[in-house]
Amino acid sequence: MDYLITDMWNYLVATTSETLEYKALVALGLLLALLILVVSGRKVSDRIALALLAAFLTLVFASTVLFRTEVPASVNNFVPLFTWQRALSTHNVQLLLQNVENIVLFIPAGIALGWLCLDARPWECAIAIAGVALFSVAIEVLQLHYGIGMCDIDDVIDNTLGVVIGFMVPWVLCRMLRVRNQPR
C-alpha cells in the first residue's frame, strides 16, 4: 500500500510539475483530504460548515491565483491602507467599492469559522482567524511571485476584516437567540 501511494504521488508530480494550476489543485486536494480526516468526530453541522469553508476558500484561491493574468510589477502595493487613502482622497468610488468587496468576499469564511468556534477557547478562535488571514497572505505572495493579479497588502487587511466581521455573526445571533429564549 505504501508503494502504491508513493508511486501515485511520483506520477502525479512528474506529469503536472510544469503548471501552477495542477500544483495548486494537488495542494488543495491534500488540504481537503486533511480536513476530512480532522473532522471525522465532529457534529454534522460542523462538518457541513467546514466543507463549505473549504469549498469557499478553494473557489477564492482558484479565482485569485489560478485564473489570473499577468500584470506589470509596478501595480503592486506594499503600503498598508494606501488604496483606502487614495480612494477617499480622490473620491474614487470604483476603488472604494473594490476595497469594500474585498471585505465582503471573506465574510462567508468568517461566518463558517464563527460557527465552528462557538464552543472554542478564545486562543483557538484567534488561531482560526489567523489561519484565514495567512491564506490571504499566501494568495498575495503567489500573485507577486508569479506576476498574476495585483499583490496588495490592503487586500490582506480587507480580507481579514471581512473574516472578523463574519466571525461575529454566529456569536451575535446565538447571543440574541439565548436572550429571547430565556424564561422571564
Side-chain angles (χ1 to χ4, degrees):
M1 180 71 175
D2 212 25
Y3 292 110
L4 177 64
I5 293 172
T6 304
D7 289 344
M8 286 174 49
W9 175 257
N10 289 337
Y11 173 76
L12 186 62
V13 171
T15 57
T16 62
S17 62
E18 298 302 316
T19 61
L20 169 66
E21 291 86 2
Y22 289 116
K23 287 180 182 179
L25 290 176
V26 168
L28 286 172
L30 292 173
L31 175 64
L32 292 176
L34 178 64
L35 288 175
I36 290 169
L37 292 173
V38 170
V39 299
S40 62
R42 298 190 73 141
K43 297 182 291 190
V44 173
S45 60
D46 287 352
R47 290 187 213 173
I48 291 170
L50 196 53
L52 290 173
L53 176 63
F56 174 78
L57 293 178
T58 301
L59 287 173
V60 168
F61 184 81
S63 67
T64 57
V65 175
L66 297 181
F67 305 114
R68 284 284 173 99
T69 58
E70 292 185 22
V71 296
S74 62
V75 298
N76 295 321
N77 171 39
F78 303 106
V79 179
L81 303 177
F82 176 76
T83 56
W84 281 97
Q85 182 267 332
R86 190 172 67 182
L88 294 172
S89 66
T90 61
H91 306 289
N92 187 335
V93 176
Q94 183 178 0
L95 186 56
L96 185 62
L97 285 175
Q98 181 180 336
N99 288 332
V100 171
E101 287 171 355
N102 281 327
I103 293 171
V104 172
L105 176 67
F106 272 73
I107 288 176
I111 291 171
L113 279 180
W115 177 263
L116 289 167
C117 291
L118 282 174
D119 298 327
R121 296 178 184 100
W123 64 269
E124 292 171 324
C125 298
I127 289 173
I129 291 171
V132 178
L134 286 175
F135 175 80
S136 182
V137 169
I139 287 172
E140 298 305 317
V141 169
L142 286 169
Q143 287 179 340
L144 177 65
H145 178 73
Y146 288 104
I148 52 176
M150 180 179 133
C151 177
D152 189 349
I153 189 67
D154 288 348
D155 288 355
V156 174
I157 294 168
D158 296 343
N159 296 160
T160 304
L161 181 59
V163 169
V164 170
I165 291 168
F167 191 88
M168 293 186 305
V169 169
W171 291 75
V172 170
L173 288 175
C174 285
R175 177 122 175 127
M176 288 172 45
L177 291 173
R178 281 189 210 134
V179 168
R180 285 190 182 166
N181 292 334
Q182 288 180 350
R184 294 180 186 199

